[in-house]
Amino acid sequence: MRFQLLGPLALADGPDTVVLQPSKPANLLAALLLNANSTVSAGYLQRAVWGEEQPATAKAALQTCVLRLRRLFAKHGVTGTAIEAVPGGYRIVAGPPTLDLLAYRDQVRRATAMDRDPEAELYMLRDALSLWQGALLANVRSAVLHRDEVPRLAEERLRVVERVCDLLLGLGRCGEALVDLWTATRVYPGHERFHEQLIEALYRSGRQSQALAEYRRVKDFLREELGVDPSPSLRRLELSILRGEELGPVGQAALAASAPGRAAPVVSASGEAVGSGSASGEVVGSGSASGAVVSRVVRGETVPQPDAETPGSEPAPAPGPDPVPAPDPATIPTLVTAPVPTSARAPVTAPAPAPVTVPPGAATGAPSAAGACAPSVDAGVGPVPGVPHFTGRAAEAEAMAARLTAPPPTGPADHRALAVVVSGAPGIGKSALAQHVARQVGDAFPAGRLLVRMTRADGEPRTADEVAAALADALGATGEGRALLILDDVVDADQVRPLLTPGGPPGTGPGLAVVVTSRMGLGGLIATHGGWVQRLTAFTEAESYGLLLAALGAERVEAEPEAAHRLTAVCGHFPAALRILTARLLTRPGLRLADAVDWLGDDPLARLTLTDSPGHSVTGLFDRALDRLDPRLSQAFTHLAQGPPELLADGGPEHEGPVPEAVREQLADAGLLEDGPPGPYRIHGLLRAHVRRTARIRDRRTEKV
């Protein structure tokens, strides 16, 4: 049994959740859980239950509420968690497996410890977000808790939003940051840091006019609504944009400075830090090393105390009223992660940002390749990110690395040889393999490695001219020697050919290595430009089990090896499904793997999705792949998936006739059919189930009543 505070107050047992009805015992339970493992005074609990004007019998009624809660626990089978009567008040004991708030804070604490690996930190923070299930304490009718506790939790979440956006900016993923920052700035119009991040992301994306328009908008709001001017850091950022200065990279030092409790500086071309912070380089921290909240009873009240591991820190002041009403924290972008508790505020020295050297020939007024998001994220070009928990594909990775580090091939003067094409079904792990290998062979490419996204976020392909222009800026700013390009999610051969000719982007000398990932086989490209093809299929059973070990930890997986193998089987050993599954299990550390098998097996397609990021779902992945198909091919595939396996054979059922081999070959080339001549074609079980499920839903919607 698990208590849920990050949303409506509820009791959860595996997939079953009981949302408590508004009542006095619900008020009491919320107050105790918000201060779990600490003594909460009877006086505070009485105010939380009845408000400032309490009945004369409040003390006796509080004991009755405690009794009702204990009966509620017994009714729903809550074991191992009890409400203890202690001198001065009551206490409830809980841990991360039994209380989502503590699990959330523990996840953030572990993510913060990974500040040297921004990709891993971002991955863990996003995992923590799935614990937020809606408006905080929406079913708790306590004015005291909504006045004193909800704003504090909302503030914890806001700090993590800032951190995640800083990580995205530092990783060059300004486009992703923009999606969340547009929402954050509208929900929290008085939060200047969000506006600063939004303006910076716009400018780094090459959208200077929009960045200036956003600055004017927030400036007008602050003056009209609050009667204040923008902060000095915002004004300096505006000045840098007006001057067309290059913003320095949001590198490791800046990312470290933006960890929860630190302010992230913006660095101008001169290397001057223009972010918030004192002249001495100290900024106000907000959190302890361990992330635990410790309390003590003072005059009958619960007072937050500094963590025992941070001696010398001072207690946080009592929360005061906000000049702007605090919006519902559930409306903030789902990037948000676990807070660092406000129980301690210790000064932290932020590393001084390194001066930025603008590469010669960089265009004035637009971000250069030196910036974290340079070249423009609109162009989809950026550094190659790491892949958290990469496992499996050992033979494929070794072969690709050998191919990439071999001497550049020679060929005709009118085209450049293609190194590797990684193809396969959507979600099979093409991009992950390419990025992993690219980071492994970094020493062989002193001029750098770039990831070029060949499709936009909406699925529309980028034109070759658009990509070539972005690459000209990026490769013109790299050093000497070989460079490596990953052309990710290529739609067809024509999108790539112009980038592989001598008239392609400047700086792409004959030593350039190119890796293409595509759902298509791209046989025509191989025929004209040569290269080597790595076709990926589903994981082996051992690779799937290895992914669970890497993501969930050996202790959890090896405690239930049989259940772990059954989980991988339910996922069909499909890499995207396994990634989503492990993300969900990481956010539920108390869930047994055996219970997860039953829960997932009831409806795997519906449950292989991340609640805080609906785009990360197996059904969404398959839908986007089918949307790319020619309508006639899509119709043929739907027919094949709904019919018997014999439809995939050459002859086909007598009453239906065969599906032409040319159609089956096109579907195999698109990654939707596996194998093929001379062997039989197959459809992955999850993909077949998705098509049939979609058809059932469509039929129900069109049924006549």
Side-chain angles (χ1 to χ4, degrees), residues 302-316:
T302 301
V303 180
Q305 292 298 298
D307 193 301
E309 295 184 12
T310 52
S313 55
E314 293 295 327

Side-chain angles (χ1 to χ4, degrees), residues 220-419:
D220 291 342
F221 170 82
L222 292 172
R223 285 185 173 177
E224 293 173 8
E225 299 295 327
L226 304 176
V228 297
D229 288 324
S231 66
S233 59
L234 261 177
R235 296 199 299 270
R236 284 191 287 266
L237 179 57
E238 182 212 19
L239 186 59
S240 293
I241 296 173
L242 290 171
R243 290 173 175 171
E245 294 178 346
E246 301 292 342
L247 300 185
V250 185
Q252 294 301 321
L255 285 177
S258 71
R262 302 186 188 180
V266 176
V267 186
S268 70
S270 64
E272 176 191 3
V274 295
S276 57
S278 68
S280 64
E282 290 189 348
V283 292
V284 177
S286 58
S288 66
S290 68
V293 174
V294 185
S295 302
R296 63 186 175 91
V297 176
V298 179
R299 296 181 182 174
E301 299 296 337
T302 301
V303 180
Q305 292 298 298
D307 193 301
E309 295 184 12
T310 52
S313 55
E314 293 295 327
D322 272 324
V324 179
D328 178 3
T331 61
I332 199 67
T334 54
L335 289 172
V336 181
T337 60
V340 177
T342 56
S343 58
R345 296 185 180 273
V348 180
T349 302
V356 178
T357 302
V358 180
T364 303
S368 76
C373 299
S376 166
V377 171
D378 284 344
V381 182
V384 177
V387 182
H389 310 307
F390 184 88
T391 55
R393 310 290 192 205
E396 294 91 337
E398 183 179 357
M400 277 186 65
R403 184 81 182 184
L404 291 173
T405 54
T410 58
D414 61 345
H415 73 267
R416 181 176 298 108
L418 184 65

Side-chain angles (χ1 to χ4, degrees), residues 603-666:
D603 193 352
L605 288 171
R607 288 168 179 170
L608 285 172
T609 184
L610 300 181
T611 56
D612 68 307
S613 183
H616 289 81
S617 69
V618 169
T619 55
L621 178 72
F622 290 157
D623 280 337
R624 290 190 293 272
L626 294 172
D627 287 344
R628 281 195 192 179
L629 286 180
D630 178 278
R632 290 170 296 180
L633 278 180
S634 180
Q635 185 176 6
F637 180 72
T638 300
H639 176 60
L640 287 170
Q642 289 184 268
E646 291 78 14
L647 274 178
L648 294 168
D650 287 337
E654 293 182 3
H655 64 284
E656 295 200 39
V659 174
E661 182 176 335
V663 173
R664 288 177 284 161
E665 271 293 278
Q666 286 179 284

